[in-house]
C-alpha cells in the first residue's frame, strides 16, 4: 500500500479551504456562517476483526484498520466540505476530528469546524 492509502486532506485545487487554524493569513473573514460537520459511522467486517486480533498477539501496525480509518476520516471531511459549500462558505476554520466508538458496533468519525466566507486582504 502506498502513501495515499494512509493520508488525507485536500488537493491544492479545493474550492473550500479547510484549515485547523482560527484564521487564514492574508485573508479576512467576511461572514461567519456557523458550525458545519460531516459524520460517518463504520463497522469492521468479521475478517478484519479476526485479523486484528491475531496481529495484536504479535504486535505491529494493523494496516487494514489504519486504511479503514483513513477512508472514514476522508469521507467525514468530504461531507463537511459538501455542507460548507451548500451553505455558501468558501472556507472552514478550526477544523477538527472527533472519533468515538458507536455502541460497540463501529467507529463514529465526526469532522467539524466553522464555515466562513473569506476574501484576500
Amino acid at each position: 500500500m502506498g502513501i495515499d492509502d494512509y493520508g488525507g486532506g485536500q488537493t491544492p485545487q479545493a474550492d473550500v479551504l479547510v484549515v485547523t487554524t482560527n484564521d487564514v493569513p492574508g485573508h479576512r473573514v467576511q461572514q461567519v456562517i456557523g458550525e458545519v460537520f460531516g459524520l460517518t459511522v463504520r463497522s469492521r467486517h468479521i475478517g478484519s476483526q479476526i485479523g486484528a486480533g491475531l496481529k495484536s498477539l504479535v504486535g505491529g501496525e494493523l494496516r487494514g484498520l489504519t486504511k479503514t480509518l483513513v477512508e472514514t476520516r476522508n469521507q467525514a471531511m468530504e461531507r463537511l466540505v459538501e455542507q460548507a459549500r451548500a451553505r455558501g462558505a468558501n472556507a472552514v476554520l478550526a477544523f477538527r476530528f472527533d472519533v468515538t466508538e458507536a455502541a460497540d458496533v463501529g467507529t463514529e468519525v465526526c469532522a467539524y469546524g466553522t464555515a466562513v466566507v473569506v476574501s484576500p486582504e
Side-chain angles (χ1 to χ4, degrees):
M1 288 187 256
I3 190 69
D4 291 337
D5 293 329
Y6 298 104
Q10 295 186 289
T11 64
Q13 300 81 20
D15 63 327
V16 176
L17 178 65
V18 178
V19 297
T20 59
T21 56
N22 293 328
D23 55 16
V24 178
H27 291 74
R28 189 172 72 152
V29 174
Q30 297 289 326
Q31 177 186 4
V32 175
I33 295 172
E35 178 191 11
V36 289
F37 65 91
L39 181 67
T40 186
V41 178
R42 296 265 182 111
S43 65
R44 295 185 299 222
H45 61 77
I46 191 70
S48 74
Q49 288 177 322
I50 292 170
L54 293 173
K55 182 70 172 182
S56 69
L57 295 174
V58 295
E61 181 181 8
L62 305 174
R63 289 181 180 248
L65 294 179
T66 299
K67 186 174 180 183
T68 299
L69 185 55
V70 167
E71 291 169 353
T72 304
R73 283 181 173 224
N74 287 342
Q75 183 179 50
M77 186 172 178
E78 288 168 10
R79 290 177 177 177
L80 167 119
V81 168
E82 288 172 12
Q83 187 181 95
R85 185 183 300 117
R87 294 180 63 190
N90 66 354
V92 175
L93 304 179
F95 169 74
R96 303 286 188 270
F97 282 113
D98 185 43
V99 180
T100 58
E101 288 297 313
D104 294 329
V105 295
T107 302
E108 171 190 330
V109 176
C110 182
Y112 64 95
T114 303
V116 297
V117 175
V118 296
S119 63
E121 290 183 329

